[in-house]
Amino acid sequence: MEPLRTLQGLVCPLNRTNVDTDQIIPKQFLKRIERSGFGQFLFYNWRFDDDGNPNPDFPLNQPQYKGASILVAGENFGCGSSREHAPWAIQDFGFKVIIAPSYADIFKNNTVKNGILAIQASDEQVQTIMKKAETEGYSLTINLEEQKVYDNEGFQFQFDIAPYPKEMLLNGWDEIGVTLTYEDKIEQYELTHK
Amino acid sequence: MHNPKNIIQKIWEQHVVHQEEGKPDLLYIDLHLVHEVTSPQAFEGLRLNGRKVRRPELTFATMDHNIPTRQRQVINDPISKKQVDTLQQNCEEFGITLADIHHPDNGIVHVIGPELGLTQPGKTIVCGDSHTSTHGAFGALAFGIGTSEVEHVLATQTLWQAPPKTMNVKVNGKLGTGVTAKDLILAIIGKFGVRFGTGYVIEYTGEAIRGFSMEERMTVCNMSIEGGARAGLISPDETTVEYLRGRKHVPQGEAFEEAAAHWKALATDEGATYDTVVEIDAAEVEPQVTWGTNPGMCIPVTANVPSPDETDKPSEKDEIVRALEYMGLQAGQPISDVKIDHVFIGSCTNSRLSDLRKAAEIIRGKKVNPSVTAIVVPGSFSVKLSAEKEGLDQVFKDAGFEWRDAGCSMCLGMNDDIIPSGERCASTSNRNFEGRQGKGARTHLVSPEMAAAAAIAGHFVDVRKFTAQEVG
Ligand code: SF4
């Protein structure tokens, strides 16, 4: 996993609440046995019409958001199914950071495992960013070490993140590798809990 | 009692392998259920890093999401077939027991775990599937995980987990006649919203819950995730013990009595507290129908479709407008007027024997409305056989239902059971998200009884009045 320390990137707004993982990546694309290549199917049913033509109203299809690496969305982002194909698709499409007022628990866990930073911001901060992102070329800078988000117009805020996911993201750790250094403790537990 | 604890705290404490400052707890996992969709990348990760499965005997696999329900032996879609074959190969390579497509134990992962007695009180249970919360009905701490976590559990039999907040959802009183466990959980999500459980593990308590069978408890716990909670559970009691007695994977004889005593001791202590308590009055719950595109968008069958004017919050207004448009409904229209094209009785929420029995009672001697296509998909091979022994298949077939083989089927349409765009389905499953049952498909979540009644009437009807009324 690639470490994530600071990032400056274009912001793409998705002004919808309760975006579920069935929308992020519809079921017909869950049949692949690889981890890669899901970006082309991201938000498929919203991005494309029944004939497979891009829907020009959907932000991800608009030229001004091409190359965006920060996705901003409404409350309860990533609810529903546990499919990790959702963060895989988001990442493969080019997003590295998500900003929303709240996330579903499983989805949030899945982002950390894939080196995606899911920032929890207030409703107000999210709405401010949504508005600003209507202007072409609006970008934000994220500093994970300092837990700070800012733009070059003086807008900024601090965000909370638990120490463990922060460390994971900053270092790009292979979590299994880390856990295996606790193997003696696991063995001990197994011996005493037959 | 000295320092009373709730069941969530008890199970957690019994499974902590390691604790240290600045880290979540390292939690031991007792049972890992695996299916074909969320596991291939995890096994691939193990292979790439030269890692083994730490406890193959605590791991159990089934194939359910892709399985055809007409002719289960023939998977026409080559990508589906590859996913199923990959699971077979991975299980062979890593020494994991698999209930494959031909195996009598095969079925939906959350139906077979309890059926086989793999699911037991006090266990920590995970699966790469959000409806793992179903197993909480037994007083297990059961939750869904992503594929990276699947790989982590395969390699280490543990997970790093921050201790959850705990919530007591207290259901006071008893449900009225014709009102089911499905209506209760929909009403709970409708009342408290689709994110009330985020960050929590829920314990369901109260008179109505105590009176429920294990199958009804599973229906409730199954949909915990639709309220945002990763896990929902119910303290074990005599009902739990009697369900498990004699099942394939539980201890037998003397050892079972010992296990049963241990299980019952896990129940929440008198006087234990929770971070949050919410209450609902069971007697107020009516048969529910979802009208929108998430499970919280539900109303009693006697009510009208809501209007965006009922809220002042712009984001909620937008959501209602979008949902009405997607669902092809008018604000203010009585939900019971809404005509349906399809009925699906199945899924890990409502495909167990008791669900099929109750649906069969409603339709016995009647005919499916000519404008409706109706299918029944039993949750497992074993449910199917038991139902056939009782002649339920004949009741369904006589009424004009299709009687299918077991699998997830139309709950998410990864096989070829898909609702065409713009068509409307009364479904006993758990998600009415846009496109869930097919692109453009309109899903209304209901109980098996309500689905059965709608199949006959051709539109939603109040099942409490249904038997009295002449319909065609
Ligand atoms: S029946 Fe539906 S919800 Fe249950 S495991 Fe299968 S796809 Fe998931």
Side-chain angles (χ1 to χ4, degrees):
Chain A
M1 198 169 91
E2 264 178 55
L4 178 80
R5 297 182 163 269
T6 57
L7 170 89
Q8 193 194 12
L10 201 62
V11 179
C12 178
L14 182 65
N15 205 352
R16 297 185 186 189
T17 53
N18 299 319
V19 173
D20 59 76
T21 53
D22 274 78
Q23 305 319 317
I24 299 174
I25 179 118
K27 42 63 195 326
Q28 62 268 36
F29 308 115
L30 304 183
K31 297 181 182 182
R32 298 160 67 97
I33 57 167
E34 303 83 21
R35 249 175 211 263
S36 55
F38 288 99
Q40 54 187 313
F41 310 123
L42 179 66
F43 296 120
Y44 193 87
N45 293 348
W46 287 345
R47 253 168 80 206
F48 301 101
D49 67 16
D50 289 345
D51 305 319
N53 301 313
N55 163 15
D57 297 332
F58 194 65
L60 270 70
N61 288 334
Q62 293 166 353
Q64 69 178 104
Y65 300 121
K66 202 171 155 42
S69 56
I70 301 170
L71 181 68
V72 185
E75 272 180 290
N76 202 27
F77 189 79
C79 58
S81 149
S82 63
R83 57 188 72 165
E84 199 163 315
H85 312 69
W88 294 338
I90 287 172
Q91 188 172 49
D92 192 51
F93 193 83
F95 293 111
K96 295 189 165 65
V97 173
I98 310 170
I99 304 177
S102 60
Y103 301 88
D105 290 336
I106 303 177
F107 176 81
K108 195 163 185 188
N109 264 325
N110 285 341
T111 56
V112 179
K113 315 287 174 190
N114 289 283
I116 300 170
L117 170 62
I119 295 176
Q120 188 159 0
S122 71
D123 258 326
E124 215 185 341
Q125 286 156 348
V126 167
Q127 282 315 315
T128 307
I129 301 171
M130 292 274 183
K131 264 248 131 0
K132 283 170 168 270
E134 286 169 11
T135 321
E136 183 149 0
Y138 181 70
S139 73
L140 281 171
T141 305
I142 316 289
N143 185 324
L144 176 55
E145 186 74 64
E146 295 174 10
Q147 299 177 209
K148 231 170 95 177
V149 176
Y150 56 94
D151 65 12
N152 54 18
E153 299 163 2
F155 170 76
Q156 60 160 7
F157 66 92
Q158 295 279 138
F159 61 88
D160 284 336
I161 180 169
Y164 182 70
K166 180 175 175 178
E167 222 181 337
M168 291 268 303
L169 290 165
L170 283 173
N171 296 294
W173 274 335
D174 161 26
E175 195 183 31
I176 297 175
V178 174
T179 308
L180 288 174
T181 64
Y182 293 83
E183 220 172 350
D184 53 330
K185 305 240 186 231
I186 301 173
E187 255 158 45
Q188 184 92 45
Y189 179 93
E190 286 173 337
L191 284 172
T192 52
H193 293 75
K194 285 272 171 174
Chain B
M1 187 181 285
H2 182 66
N3 192 16
K5 287 178 186 150
N6 68 46
I7 181 173
I8 304 160
Q9 295 161 328
K10 291 188 201 182
I11 300 177
W12 194 273
E13 283 169 12
Q14 287 174 10
H15 288 83
V16 173
V17 172
H18 175 71
Q19 274 177 321
E20 80 184 62
E21 186 67 26
K23 273 204 163 78
D25 294 347
L26 189 61
L27 203 68
Y28 200 78
I29 303 303
D30 296 324
L31 174 64
H32 185 188
L33 300 167
V34 172
H35 66 80
E36 79 275 20
V37 181
T38 55
S39 66
Q41 295 86 353
F43 285 111
E44 185 60 19
L46 292 184
R47 258 191 299 273
L48 288 173
N49 291 290
R51 289 170 179 150
K52 293 203 297 271
V53 175
R54 183 175 179 87
R55 300 289 301 273
E57 75 282 14
L58 301 183
T59 315
F60 188 94
T62 183
M63 20 186 82
D64 49 10
H65 285 65
N66 279 283
I67 305 307
T69 56
R70 273 181 234 268
Q71 260 200 307
R72 58 194 279 117
Q73 269 74 4
V74 197
I75 303 184
N76 288 322
D77 178 350
I79 325 178
S80 284
K81 173 132 182 26
K82 186 159 178 206
Q83 204 165 53
V84 163
D85 291 346
T86 303
L87 181 62
Q88 187 105 40
Q89 287 155 11
N90 284 331
C91 288
E92 277 164 27
E93 182 181 338
F94 291 96
I96 294 168
T97 307
L98 167 70
D100 72 9
I101 206 164
H102 309 289
H103 198 284
D105 290 345
N106 180 268
I108 304 175
V109 61
H110 310 309
V111 175
I112 64 169
E115 224 169 55
L116 296 170
L118 287 163
T119 305
Q120 292 169 17
K123 279 192 181 181
T124 46
I125 303 177
V126 297
C127 173
D129 192 285
S130 60
H131 293 102
T132 308
S133 58
T134 313
H135 308 263
F138 291 78
L141 183 67
F143 53 93
I145 56 178
T147 300
S148 295
E149 291 176 312
V150 169
E151 186 180 338
H152 193 279
V153 176
L154 288 172
T156 70
Q157 205 59 36
T158 63
L159 278 176
W160 294 99
Q161 293 287 309
K165 290 182 282 180
T166 61
M167 184 189 297
N168 178 2
V169 174
K170 204 168 161 222
V171 186
N172 298 317
K174 286 200 184 89
L175 294 175
T177 320
V179 184
T180 68
K182 178 67 162 287
D183 299 309
L184 173 64
I185 188 64
L186 283 171
I188 289 172
I189 300 164
K191 179 169 179 180
F192 302 113
V194 289
R195 40 184 185 269
F196 84 100
T198 305
Y200 287 92
V201 171
I202 292 173
E203 180 179 0
Y204 300 94
T205 66
E207 191 186 348
I209 302 288
R210 279 294 136 227
F212 278 164
S213 68
M214 287 316 296
E215 304 203 341
E216 291 170 311
R217 293 180 189 185
M218 285 188 250
T219 299
V220 171
C221 290
N222 173 274
M223 290 190 70
S224 301
I225 184 69
E226 311 319 330
R230 266 182 107 173
L233 50 65
I234 293 170
S235 282
D237 57 13
E238 231 11 81
T239 308
T240 323
V241 170
E242 287 317 310
Y243 177 98
L244 288 171
R245 187 183 297 278
R247 303 236 166 219
K248 190 167 171 183
H249 290 272
V250 298
Q252 308 292 335
E254 191 66 14
F256 182 80
E257 303 310 328
E258 265 172 51
H262 166 70
W263 291 338
K264 284 196 275 182
L266 288 165
T268 289
D269 297 331
E270 185 84 37
T273 56
Y274 303 80
D275 295 302
T276 303
V277 182
V278 299
E279 300 194 36
I280 186 164
D281 196 351
E284 278 173 17
V285 177
E286 294 187 68
Q288 302 285 310
V289 182
T290 64
W291 60 268
T293 52
N294 73 47
M297 293 173 160
C298 62
I299 48 175
V301 64
T302 50
N304 300 340
V305 173
S307 144
D309 303 334
E310 288 170 25
T311 167
D312 292 330
K313 223 178 147 194
S315 64
E316 280 174 18
K317 255 193 215 311
D318 284 0
E319 216 182 3
I320 297 176
V321 171
R322 281 182 51 80
L324 289 175
E325 192 193 324
Y326 181 86
M327 294 299 291
L329 295 174
Q330 303 295 325
Q333 152 184 35
I335 193 78
S336 58
D337 281 358
V338 175
K339 289 201 166 43
I340 55 162
D341 310 297
H342 299 264
V343 167
F344 169 58
I345 298 180
S347 92
C348 57
T349 316
N350 283 126
S351 63
R352 299 181 179 83
L353 190 57
S354 59
D355 297 313
L356 304 191
R357 280 182 185 151
K358 288 175 192 161
E361 263 337 290
I362 303 282
I363 58 158
R364 194 183 290 274
K366 301 198 174 75
K367 289 277 179 228
V368 169
N369 189 286
S371 63
V372 175
T373 311
I375 71 170
V376 187
V377 182
S380 70
F381 216 57
S382 147
V383 169
K384 182 170 189 250
L385 285 182
S386 310
E388 287 172 355
K389 260 194 210 140
E390 292 181 15
L392 297 182
D393 58 326
Q394 210 48 53
V395 176
F396 282 111
K397 285 191 260 187
D398 288 348
F401 273 83
E402 291 177 40
W403 178 253
R404 299 285 190 87
D405 273 324
C408 292
S409 176
M410 213 175 255
C411 174
L412 92 167
M414 266 188 88
N415 65 358
D416 40 19
D417 301 332
I418 289 171
I419 306 283
S421 187
E423 295 190 15
R424 200 176 287 289
C425 180
S427 176
T428 66
S429 55
N430 43 50
R431 288 192 174 133
N432 50 342
F433 295 153
E434 283 183 33
R436 174 80 179 180
Q437 295 188 295
K439 192 173 179 183
R442 295 164 171 165
T443 304
H444 297 267
L445 304 177
V446 287
S447 71
E449 290 89 324
M450 286 283 288
I456 306 299
H459 57 88
F460 294 108
V461 281
D462 188 341
V463 72
R464 293 170 299 184
K465 298 190 186 131
F466 181 69
T467 30
Q469 142 196 25
E470 274 308 307
V471 282

